[in-house]
Amino acid sequence: MSQAELAVNFFVALFALIDPIGNVPLFAAATLGAASAGRRMVAVYIGLFVVAFLVFFYFTGVALLEFFGISMPAFRIAGGIILFILGLDMVRDDFTTMFADAAEGEGEPLSARVYAKKRFERLIVPFAMPLLIGPGAISTVIIYASEAKHLGLAGMALGVGVIAAVSVVLVATFWAAPVISKVLGRIGMSIVVRVLGLILCALAVQFVLIGVGDATRGLIRADAKAPYAAEK
Protein backbone atom coordinates (compact mmCIF):
# COMPACT_ATOMS: atom_id res chain seq x y z
CA MET A 1 0.00 0.00 0.00
CA SER A 2 1.44 3.36 -1.05
CA GLN A 3 1.33 6.50 1.07
CA ALA A 4 -1.43 7.97 -1.10
CA GLU A 5 -3.54 4.82 -0.81
CA LEU A 6 -2.96 4.70 2.94
CA ALA A 7 -4.00 8.33 3.37
CA VAL A 8 -7.14 8.06 1.21
CA ASN A 9 -8.34 4.70 2.54
CA PHE A 10 -7.64 5.61 6.15
CA PHE A 11 -9.38 8.97 5.83
CA VAL A 12 -12.47 7.50 4.14
CA ALA A 13 -12.80 4.68 6.68
CA LEU A 14 -12.32 6.96 9.69
CA PHE A 15 -14.57 9.66 8.25
CA ALA A 16 -17.34 7.13 7.61
CA LEU A 17 -17.04 5.73 11.12
CA ILE A 18 -16.96 9.05 12.95
CA ASP A 19 -19.60 10.37 10.53
CA PRO A 20 -19.39 14.14 11.25
CA ILE A 21 -22.32 15.06 8.99
CA GLY A 22 -24.58 12.33 10.31
CA ASN A 23 -23.86 13.45 13.87
CA VAL A 24 -24.64 17.11 13.21
CA PRO A 25 -28.26 16.78 14.44
CA LEU A 26 -27.04 15.05 17.60
CA PHE A 27 -24.50 17.77 18.27
CA ALA A 28 -27.11 20.44 17.59
CA ALA A 29 -29.51 18.77 20.02
CA ALA A 30 -26.81 18.36 22.66
CA THR A 31 -25.92 22.07 22.49
CA LEU A 32 -29.45 23.37 22.09
CA GLY A 33 -29.84 26.91 23.40
CA ALA A 34 -26.10 27.52 23.71
CA ALA A 35 -24.41 30.65 22.44
CA SER A 36 -22.33 30.31 19.27
CA ALA A 37 -19.06 30.69 21.20
CA GLY A 38 -20.01 27.96 23.66
CA ARG A 39 -21.08 25.60 20.87
CA ARG A 40 -17.79 26.15 19.01
CA MET A 41 -15.79 25.54 22.18
CA VAL A 42 -17.59 22.24 22.78
CA ALA A 43 -16.75 21.19 19.21
CA VAL A 44 -13.07 22.00 19.79
CA TYR A 45 -12.99 19.95 23.00
CA ILE A 46 -14.57 17.00 21.20
CA GLY A 47 -12.07 17.30 18.33
CA LEU A 48 -9.09 17.35 20.72
CA PHE A 49 -10.47 14.33 22.55
CA VAL A 50 -10.84 12.41 19.28
CA VAL A 51 -7.24 13.21 18.26
CA ALA A 52 -5.73 12.27 21.63
CA PHE A 53 -7.69 9.04 21.99
CA LEU A 54 -7.13 7.76 18.47
CA VAL A 55 -3.45 8.72 18.35
CA PHE A 56 -2.94 6.77 21.60
CA PHE A 57 -4.35 3.61 20.03
CA TYR A 58 -2.54 4.36 16.78
CA PHE A 59 0.84 4.02 18.52
CA THR A 60 -0.01 1.44 21.19
CA GLY A 61 -2.61 -0.75 19.48
CA VAL A 62 -0.16 -3.09 17.72
CA ALA A 63 1.85 -3.54 20.93
CA LEU A 64 -1.37 -4.38 22.79
CA LEU A 65 -2.17 -7.05 20.19
CA GLU A 66 1.29 -8.56 20.62
CA PHE A 67 0.88 -8.51 24.40
CA PHE A 68 -2.39 -10.47 24.19
CA GLY A 69 -1.06 -12.76 21.44
CA ILE A 70 -3.58 -11.66 18.82
CA SER A 71 -2.45 -11.86 15.20
CA MET A 72 -3.08 -8.97 12.85
CA PRO A 73 -5.14 -11.12 10.42
CA ALA A 74 -7.39 -12.19 13.32
CA PHE A 75 -7.81 -8.62 14.47
CA ARG A 76 -8.41 -7.47 10.90
CA ILE A 77 -11.22 -10.03 10.51
CA ALA A 78 -12.75 -9.08 13.86
CA GLY A 79 -12.48 -5.39 13.01
CA GLY A 80 -14.09 -6.02 9.63
CA ILE A 81 -17.03 -7.78 11.27
CA ILE A 82 -17.51 -4.88 13.69
CA LEU A 83 -17.29 -2.34 10.87
CA PHE A 84 -19.82 -4.30 8.84
CA ILE A 85 -22.31 -4.36 11.72
CA LEU A 86 -21.90 -0.62 12.26
CA GLY A 87 -22.19 0.08 8.54
CA LEU A 88 -25.29 -2.09 8.31
CA ASP A 89 -26.88 -0.16 11.17
CA MET A 90 -26.09 3.09 9.36
CA VAL A 91 -27.70 1.81 6.15
CA ARG A 92 -30.83 0.44 7.82
CA ASP A 93 -31.43 2.91 10.64
CA ASP A 94 -31.68 6.67 10.95
CA PHE A 95 -28.82 7.65 13.23
CA THR A 96 -30.06 11.24 13.31
CA THR A 97 -32.66 10.23 15.91
CA MET A 98 -30.19 8.69 18.35
CA PHE A 99 -29.44 10.55 21.58
CA ALA A 100 -31.86 13.29 20.54
CA ASP A 101 -32.69 13.70 24.21
CA ALA A 102 -29.11 14.69 25.02
CA ALA A 103 -30.02 18.36 25.25
CA GLU A 104 -30.80 19.68 28.71
CA GLY A 105 -31.41 23.14 30.03
CA GLU A 106 -28.41 24.68 31.69
CA GLY A 107 -30.26 27.06 34.03
CA GLU A 108 -28.34 30.29 34.56
CA PRO A 109 -26.19 31.66 31.70
CA LEU A 110 -22.56 30.49 31.70
CA SER A 111 -19.42 31.75 30.01
CA ALA A 112 -18.41 29.97 26.82
CA ARG A 113 -15.49 28.17 28.47
CA VAL A 114 -17.44 27.06 31.55
CA TYR A 115 -20.38 25.93 29.44
CA ALA A 116 -18.07 24.00 27.09
CA LYS A 117 -16.40 22.17 29.97
CA LYS A 118 -19.70 21.23 31.59
CA ARG A 119 -21.28 20.13 28.33
CA PHE A 120 -18.19 18.20 27.22
CA GLU A 121 -18.15 16.27 30.50
CA ARG A 122 -21.72 15.18 29.80
CA LEU A 123 -21.00 14.35 26.15
CA ILE A 124 -17.93 12.14 26.68
CA VAL A 125 -20.38 9.25 27.09
CA PRO A 126 -22.30 8.44 24.98
CA PHE A 127 -21.58 11.07 22.31
CA ALA A 128 -17.76 11.13 22.11
CA MET A 129 -17.64 7.46 23.12
CA PRO A 130 -18.93 5.18 21.75
CA LEU A 131 -20.87 7.12 19.10
CA LEU A 132 -17.94 9.02 17.56
CA ILE A 133 -15.13 6.76 18.78
CA GLY A 134 -16.42 3.24 18.96
CA PRO A 135 -14.91 -0.22 18.50
CA GLY A 136 -14.97 0.30 14.74
CA ALA A 137 -12.88 3.47 14.85
CA ILE A 138 -10.39 1.93 17.28
CA SER A 139 -10.11 -1.21 15.15
CA THR A 140 -9.59 0.86 12.01
CA VAL A 141 -6.83 2.93 13.63
CA ILE A 142 -4.97 -0.18 14.76
CA ILE A 143 -5.32 -1.87 11.38
CA TYR A 144 -3.99 1.14 9.48
CA ALA A 145 -1.22 1.61 12.03
CA SER A 146 0.05 -1.84 11.07
CA GLU A 147 -0.06 -0.83 7.40
CA ALA A 148 1.73 2.46 8.13
CA LYS A 149 4.59 0.66 9.89
CA HIS A 150 5.61 -0.84 6.54
CA LEU A 151 6.07 2.69 5.19
CA GLY A 152 8.42 3.72 7.98
CA LEU A 153 8.39 6.98 9.90
CA ALA A 154 6.76 8.85 7.02
CA GLY A 155 3.88 6.39 7.00
CA MET A 156 3.34 6.68 10.74
CA ALA A 157 3.40 10.49 10.52
CA LEU A 158 0.94 10.33 7.62
CA GLY A 159 -1.47 8.29 9.76
CA VAL A 160 -1.32 10.88 12.54
CA GLY A 161 -1.99 13.56 9.93
CA VAL A 162 -5.07 11.67 8.73
CA ILE A 163 -6.42 11.44 12.29
CA ALA A 164 -5.81 15.16 12.77
CA ALA A 165 -7.45 15.95 9.40
CA VAL A 166 -10.58 13.97 10.26
CA SER A 167 -10.75 15.74 13.62
CA VAL A 168 -10.43 19.15 11.95
CA VAL A 169 -13.26 18.23 9.56
CA LEU A 170 -15.29 17.08 12.56
CA VAL A 171 -14.83 20.40 14.37
CA ALA A 172 -15.53 22.43 11.23
CA THR A 173 -18.69 20.40 10.55
CA PHE A 174 -19.97 20.92 14.08
CA TRP A 175 -19.24 24.64 13.79
CA ALA A 176 -21.40 24.67 10.67
CA ALA A 177 -24.11 22.54 12.29
CA PRO A 178 -26.89 25.16 12.02
CA VAL A 179 -26.19 25.76 8.32
CA ILE A 180 -25.79 22.06 7.41
CA SER A 181 -29.02 21.13 9.19
CA LYS A 182 -30.95 23.74 7.23
CA VAL A 183 -29.37 22.92 3.85
CA LEU A 184 -29.65 19.13 3.94
CA GLY A 185 -32.79 18.77 5.99
CA ARG A 186 -33.82 15.53 7.63
CA ILE A 187 -34.03 13.59 4.36
CA GLY A 188 -30.62 14.81 3.22
CA MET A 189 -29.07 13.81 6.53
CA SER A 190 -30.55 10.33 6.25
CA ILE A 191 -29.19 9.94 2.71
CA VAL A 192 -25.68 10.98 3.79
CA VAL A 193 -25.71 8.52 6.70
CA ARG A 194 -26.86 5.64 4.50
CA VAL A 195 -24.28 6.32 1.78
CA LEU A 196 -21.49 6.42 4.37
CA GLY A 197 -22.84 3.20 5.84
CA LEU A 198 -22.70 1.49 2.43
CA ILE A 199 -19.08 2.59 1.95
CA LEU A 200 -18.27 1.34 5.43
CA CYS A 201 -19.80 -2.08 4.71
CA ALA A 202 -17.66 -2.40 1.57
CA LEU A 203 -14.51 -1.44 3.49
CA ALA A 204 -15.41 -3.97 6.17
CA VAL A 205 -15.73 -6.78 3.61
CA GLN A 206 -12.35 -5.77 2.20
CA PHE A 207 -10.83 -5.99 5.70
CA VAL A 208 -12.18 -9.53 6.09
CA LEU A 209 -10.89 -10.60 2.67
CA ILE A 210 -7.41 -9.30 3.47
CA GLY A 211 -7.45 -10.91 6.92
CA VAL A 212 -8.53 -14.31 5.57
CA GLY A 213 -6.01 -14.04 2.74
CA ASP A 214 -3.16 -13.25 5.16
CA ALA A 215 -4.15 -16.08 7.51
CA THR A 216 -4.44 -18.72 4.77
CA ARG A 217 -2.51 -19.80 1.71
CA GLY A 218 -4.23 -19.35 -1.63
CA LEU A 219 -7.78 -19.17 -0.26
CA ILE A 220 -8.25 -15.53 -1.33
CA ARG A 221 -6.98 -14.39 -4.71
CA ALA A 222 -4.42 -11.60 -4.76
CA ASP A 223 -6.62 -9.40 -6.95
CA ALA A 224 -9.43 -9.72 -4.38
CA LYS A 225 -7.16 -8.55 -1.56
CA ALA A 226 -5.79 -5.64 -3.60
CA PRO A 227 -8.23 -5.23 -6.52
CA TYR A 228 -6.53 -2.22 -8.13
CA ALA A 229 -2.88 -3.04 -7.48
CA ALA A 230 -2.52 -5.05 -10.69
CA GLU A 231 -3.80 -2.14 -12.79
CA LYS A 232 -0.99 0.19 -11.69
Side-chain angles (χ1 to χ4, degrees):
M1 181 180 292
S2 66
Q3 291 186 9
E5 290 175 330
L6 173 69
V8 172
N9 292 345
F10 191 13
F11 183 90
V12 170
L14 203 55
F15 182 87
L17 279 166
I18 295 179
D19 189 14
I21 298 177
N23 285 303
V24 161
L26 310 182
F27 178 78
T31 56
L32 185 66
S36 298
R39 185 183 297 110
R40 289 195 296 266
M41 190 76 70
V42 173
V44 171
Y45 284 168
I46 292 175
L48 292 175
F49 176 81
V50 168
V51 170
F53 199 85
L54 292 183
V55 167
F56 171 78
F57 276 98
Y58 184 74
F59 285 104
T60 64
V62 176
L64 289 174
L65 292 183
E66 293 177 355
F67 178 79
F68 287 107
I70 302 173
S71 68
M72 182 51 61
F75 189 83
R76 195 184 294 272
I77 294 172
I81 294 173
I82 293 174
L83 293 184
F84 186 82
I85 293 173
L86 292 176
L88 196 60
D89 286 341
M90 292 171 68
V91 171
R92 298 188 335 186
D93 299 333
D94 187 0
F95 270 26
T96 61
T97 61
M98 293 177 59
F99 304 112
D101 58 346
E104 299 175 4
E106 289 292 343
E108 62 183 49
L110 302 173
S111 67
R113 185 177 296 274
V114 173
Y115 169 82
K117 289 182 179 180
K118 287 181 174 293
R119 178 53 61 186
F120 175 69
E121 289 174 0
R122 301 181 71 87
L123 288 181
I124 292 178
V125 178
F127 188 74
M129 290 181 62
L131 186 58
L132 292 179
I133 306 176
I138 296 173
S139 301
T140 299
V141 165
I142 295 177
I143 289 171
Y144 279 103
S146 68
E147 295 288 345
K149 287 183 67 175
H150 299 302
L151 301 176
L153 185 60
M156 296 300 291
L158 183 63
V160 174
V162 169
I163 294 174
V166 172
S167 299
V168 169
V169 173
L170 175 69
V171 173
T173 303
F174 284 172
W175 279 9
V179 177
I180 294 175
S181 298
K182 291 180 180 179
V183 171
L184 292 181
R186 183 178 180 84
I187 296 177
M189 290 289 187
S190 298
I191 293 174
V192 169
V193 171
R194 282 162 173 75
V195 170
L196 289 174
L198 180 60
I199 294 174
L200 194 58
C201 285
L203 286 171
V205 172
Q206 193 64 42
F207 280 172
V208 173
L209 288 175
I210 295 174
V212 173
D214 291 343
T216 58
R217 183 173 299 177
L219 184 61
I220 302 296
R221 295 185 337 195
D223 59 347
K225 290 174 54 179
Y228 303 109
E231 300 177 3
K232 299 179 181 179

